[in-house]
Amino acid sequence: MNLEFFIAKRLVRGKEHKISISAPIIKIAIAAIALGVIMMLVAISTGVGLKHKIREKIAAFNGHIQIYNYDNNTSDVSMVPVSLDQEFYPDFKSVSGIQHIQGVATKAGIIRTEETFEGILAKGVGPDYNWDVFKEFLVDGALPNFEGEINSETLISQVLSNRLNLKTGDSFVAIFFKEDDASKMPNQRKFTITGIYDSGFEELDGSYIFIDLRHIQHMNKWADNEVGNFEIFVDDFDEMDNKAKEIYGKTLSNLDTQTIKDKYYRIFEWLGLFDFNIALIIGIMIIVGGINMITALLVLILERTQMIGILKALGSSNWSIRKIFLYNATYLIGVGLLLGNIIGLGIIGLQYKFRMFKFPNSKEYYIDYIPVHLDVMTVVLLNIGVLILCLLMLLLPSYIITKISPVKAIKFE
């Protein structure tokens, strides 16, 4: 049996360990480690969760990557059509990691009611449109169905519904100007609201309504196989930039690609600050926990000065004695990690299921509750990292053992 581990185990399990002077200090050190782990788990899960939710909402309106004609302008309005007759549509087989591709078009307009009017961006979608995300956003009614004949069904946001005083089942008239010649008589279309959605992203909710793609094709005098642009969803968001480069290389020379990071760069720059905040919290918590463990270790060494002197007198090396206390510290850190994981993961699990904690101002974060996201690998790496860093911090204070004289230590009281 490992002698150092055996002695360390006896020190931990001994009754005198529980009633010694160092007992309250050890409990404080364990509590500091546990509290630090809780704070780190909560910081990581909420920071990553918020990033994922905001990314999902932006992608719901735009896809992860857009393919459009080079001649199109930089606005959200579709100006120059793209043919659906492409090698990459409806399945992008030449690039791996593509989840879905859909053809859409957008057209600016105005909704007019008897009391008021609002500027809108009508998004034309077809049978290939992925409604999965909007099922979560739906607050009233049902999603429109554009698989049969052209119809007047539409999905509008809760924001526009409140501003225009409209509800599910109501009809309204939308006016669409002709981009090629604004002096010409605008197009008018009457739509019936089948559903109302609320993504929490007011910047987008305040503009977007969803209509049948064929309305925009007819108003723009496009062919039935022409759309404004393609929206692509990828399996792994972290690979989005690489996939965009691959897609660009696999498409025709007259087509360009754009990611949602490029389109909404300010939002993603803001999301990038979350990583810095998380790293700062982790650093502070590790330092606080490490300082508490250093204090506990020094007290343990002071309390066991006579034992150190006896072991040295019996021929034990300095490193052998240091290992005893490092084993002891590892046990204490492990207890703190266990308690911290149980409490921290419990809080995260409850928040994930019941959404107990809300944002005081949901408009600033685009969501009303605090989302959480945590994977097993992150938890494992966090625990291993905390354990290793704390032990590295304890190597220096354990060096004090080499300065203890056996004769003086045995006489120490």
Side-chain angles (χ1 to χ4, degrees), residues 33 40 282-283 285-287 289-291 293-294 333 337 381-396:
I33 294 291
M40 286 186 278
I282 291 175
M285 291 298 103
I286 289 177
I287 291 172
I291 291 173
M293 284 306 305
I294 290 171
I333 296 171
L337 289 174
L381 292 176
L382 178 66
N383 282 271
I384 293 173
V386 171
L387 179 62
I388 292 174
L389 290 173
C390 285
L391 287 176
L392 289 174
M393 293 174 67
L394 294 176
L395 286 176
L396 187 59

Side-chain angles (χ1 to χ4, degrees), residues 52-122:
H52 281 203
K53 275 295 178 185
I54 294 175
R55 286 178 348 194
E56 286 175 8
K57 291 186 176 186
I58 297 175
F61 288 91
N62 303 271
H64 294 118
I65 302 167
Q66 293 183 336
I67 301 176
Y68 55 90
N69 198 302
Y70 257 120
D71 295 332
N72 202 4
N73 59 11
T74 57
S75 72
D76 290 324
V77 178
S78 301
M79 300 292 290
V80 182
V82 182
S83 175
L84 288 173
D85 299 328
Q86 307 286 343
E87 291 184 2
F88 56 78
Y89 181 81
D91 297 309
F92 213 132
K93 297 179 181 179
S94 59
V95 177
S96 62
I98 301 300
Q99 186 182 99
H100 182 68
I101 181 170
Q102 57 199 24
V104 299
T106 52
K107 192 172 183 65
I110 296 173
I111 293 178
R112 185 183 64 187
T113 66
E114 293 180 0
E115 295 84 13
T116 184
F117 63 91
E118 284 288 334
I120 52 118
L121 193 64

